[in-house]
Amino acid sequence: MKVLLTGAAGQLGHALRQQVPAGVELIATSRGGGDGLLALDLADASACRAMVQQHRPDWVLNSGAYTAVDKAESEPELAHAVNGGAPRAFAEALRDTSGRLLQVSTDFVFNGAQGHPYCPDQARDPLGVYGASKAAGEEAVEQLLSSSGRGVILRTSWVYGPVGRNFCGTMLRLHAQRAASGQPLAVVADQVGCPTSTLTLAAACWRAIERGGEQSGDLAPILHWCDAGAASWYDFAVAIGELGVERGVLEASALVQPITTADYPTPALRPSYSLLECTGTRLALALPPRHWRDALAEVISRVAAV
Ligand SMILES: NC(=O)c1ccc[n+]([C@@H]2O[C@H](COP(=O)([O-])OP(=O)(O)OC[C@H]3O[C@@H](n4cnc5c(N)ncnc54)[C@H](OP(=O)(O)O)[C@@H]3O)[C@@H](O)[C@H]2O)c1
């Protein structure tokens, strides 16, 4: 089976490349190419279509995205070209080649106002440009591929891993700095979601491809996949400090101070409660839930091993 992967240099792309299943021929791409990766600019729709036409993959695994949530507010055209235009271009080309698309998407397509977990079939209502651009990508996949069962959207949330820029890495650095200076670390406590490790997420993506290919139409068109449990950014920061010390990555952790979203204004609004209901996906993929704190311990152990 041939799989065209985008965003291969990103944090999820890295984990996906480490977990390539036997029998998969991977064509891995990044914006600039190099290091065994082909160059593919996701803002260039004709290049995306040409890549599919040339390689005729069984699947496109579209992990690449414009992920700078705050910067997207001032670069809406680019965010929409990458997050909306690339999935549309892939879907258009895959309609002709009869390939399939796994489109990685986000909890930010929801407004976070309902206060209980979101089911896959609920209406999108993004708060910011990033969420709107990812929602546009989802809509393109639905319009062009879902009726044939060849487009699958996999939404996830609060992604972090042992490599790449993410909340866990930032917090490990800040814990070390603030513990040394004796200053507390202020972290937002009134946004709730679920941290999701790239290691467990990559396994879910590969399983979705395996299942989606074997049993056409058996996978729902929208899957929700996150690690289990719920947390605020404050809870997540506290756990990163505790596990960082426990696993020997930190000598000491800083005191974490809970603050509100209003205390930490950002250019982009974020959903205040974005838990995703994942039960259906766990059953469909036959993957058991793993609590986010266990998944975090694994990631921090990997960081410790580097
Ligand atoms: N991170 C999260 O918290 C989160 C939460 C929910 C869903 N997701 C989704 O999960 C997927 C993986 O995200 P991630 O966390 O792995 O993000 P990431 O580490 O930022 O990786 C995204 C990759 O996409 C690449 N990219 C951006 N613009 C590009 C372009 N024009 N052409 C080619 N490549 C481009 C980036 O390359 P550069 O480094 O060169 O920009 C980067 O390597 C994305 O679809 C994202 O929307 C992420």
Side-chain angles (χ1 to χ4, degrees), residues 131-196:
S133 65
K134 294 292 290 186
E138 291 190 359
E139 282 158 14
V141 176
E142 284 180 344
Q143 281 164 15
L144 294 165
L145 288 177
S146 291
S147 64
S148 62
R150 291 194 285 111
V152 178
I153 293 158
L154 188 147
R155 293 193 191 118
T156 187
S157 66
W158 296 25
V159 178
Y160 70 97
V163 296
R165 265 181 312 176
N166 57 60
F167 185 84
C168 179
T170 302
M171 287 299 125
L172 285 172
R173 180 170 46 78
L174 290 176
H175 267 295
Q177 285 172 2
R178 300 294 166 87
S181 66
Q183 288 175 314
L185 179 52
V187 182
V188 170
D190 60 356
Q191 289 171 26
V192 171
C194 192
T196 301

Side-chain angles (χ1 to χ4, degrees), residues 200-212:
T200 53
L201 177 59
C205 289
W206 284 122
R207 182 65 71 90
I209 284 182
E210 185 192 322
R211 292 269 156 131

Side-chain angles (χ1 to χ4, degrees), residues 107-111 123-133 135-136 139:
D107 55 332
F108 278 36
V109 299
F110 296 120
N111 65 22
R124 292 174 276 257
D125 184 21
L127 294 176
V129 170
Y130 168 73
S133 65
E139 282 158 14

Side-chain angles (χ1 to χ4, degrees), residues 10-12 31 40-42 63-65 67 104-105 130 134 156 159:
Q11 56 170 347
L12 175 58
R31 187 205 305 259
L40 177 61
D41 180 359
L42 294 172
S63 165
T67 54
V104 182
S105 196
Y130 168 73
K134 294 292 290 186
T156 187
V159 178

Side-chain angles (χ1 to χ4, degrees), residues 27-280:
I27 303 154
T29 70
S30 66
R31 187 205 305 259
D35 273 343
L37 309 177
L38 298 182
L40 177 61
D41 180 359
L42 294 172
D44 183 343
S46 54
C48 293
R49 282 190 291 271
M51 188 65 91
V52 171
Q53 283 150 4
Q54 182 188 346
H55 293 281
R56 303 185 77 81
D58 298 290
W59 283 87
V60 172
L61 204 178
N62 191 27
S63 165
Y66 182 113
T67 54
V69 174
D70 288 317
K71 205 170 164 202
E73 296 297 312
S74 54
E75 289 188 335
E77 292 85 7
L78 183 57
H80 274 276
V82 175
N83 294 345
R88 175 168 293 281
F90 288 133
E92 284 166 353
L94 288 165
R95 254 193 334 192
D96 297 335
T97 62
S98 300
R100 297 167 194 272
L101 174 60
L102 181 64
Q103 170 66 17
V104 182
S105 196
T106 171
D107 55 332
F108 278 36
V109 299
F110 296 120
N111 65 22
Q114 74 177 17
H116 57 89
Y118 285 92
C119 293
D121 59 358
Q122 285 195 249
R124 292 174 276 257
D125 184 21
L127 294 176
V129 170
Y130 168 73
S133 65
K134 294 292 290 186
E138 291 190 359
E139 282 158 14
V141 176
E142 284 180 344
Q143 281 164 15
L144 294 165
L145 288 177
S146 291
S147 64
S148 62
R150 291 194 285 111
V152 178
I153 293 158
L154 188 147
R155 293 193 191 118
T156 187
S157 66
W158 296 25
V159 178
Y160 70 97
V163 296
R165 265 181 312 176
N166 57 60
F167 185 84
C168 179
T170 302
M171 287 299 125
L172 285 172
R173 180 170 46 78
L174 290 176
H175 267 295
Q177 285 172 2
R178 300 294 166 87
S181 66
Q183 288 175 314
L185 179 52
V187 182
V188 170
D190 60 356
Q191 289 171 26
V192 171
C194 192
T196 301
S197 155
T198 53
L199 308 177
T200 53
L201 177 59
C205 289
W206 284 122
R207 182 65 71 90
I209 284 182
E210 185 192 322
R211 292 269 156 131
E214 272 169 10
Q215 309 159 10
S216 173
D218 274 2
L219 274 186
I222 302 181
L223 305 174
H224 280 180
W225 178 270
C226 303
D227 287 328
S232 67
W233 293 110
Y234 167 82
D235 296 321
F236 192 20
V238 169
I240 291 165
E242 289 171 356
L243 288 163
V245 172
E246 186 186 301
R247 305 288 155 126
V249 177
L250 295 171
E251 281 181 23
S253 60
L255 188 67
V256 184
Q257 174 193 5
I259 59 169
T260 66
T261 302
D263 295 327
Y264 188 75
T266 52
L269 291 176
R270 287 160 166 77
S272 59
Y273 185 101
S274 62
L275 273 192
L276 300 178
E277 169 54 59
C278 297
T279 311

